[in-house]
Amino acid sequence: MLRWAIIFFVIALIAGFLGFGGVAGTSMEIAKFIAIIAIILFVVSLIFGGLRGRGPRV
């Protein structure tokens, strides 16, 4: 998921460099949204992984 955020960030940089402000702004907003979702999913997986813990070793 972070790969998609990086791809949209690069698109925003290239579009901004070439003068396409609308495309650059839209790509940057999509990149920020995907990055925030990825961070939220990462934190949730850390929390549930920590709550699950490890079973007793035999």
Side-chain angles (χ1 to χ4, degrees), residues 10-29:
V10 170
I11 290 171
L13 287 176
I14 293 171
F17 180 72
L18 295 175
F20 299 108
V23 174
T26 302
S27 295
M28 197 63 188
E29 291 298 320

Side-chain angles (χ1 to χ4, degrees), residues 25-52:
T26 302
S27 295
M28 197 63 188
E29 291 298 320
I30 293 171
K32 283 195 298 188
F33 178 73
I34 293 174
I36 290 170
I37 295 297
I39 291 170
I40 290 171
L41 289 175
F42 175 71
V43 170
V44 167
S45 68
L46 280 179
I47 291 171
F48 281 115
L51 291 176
R52 188 171 133 198

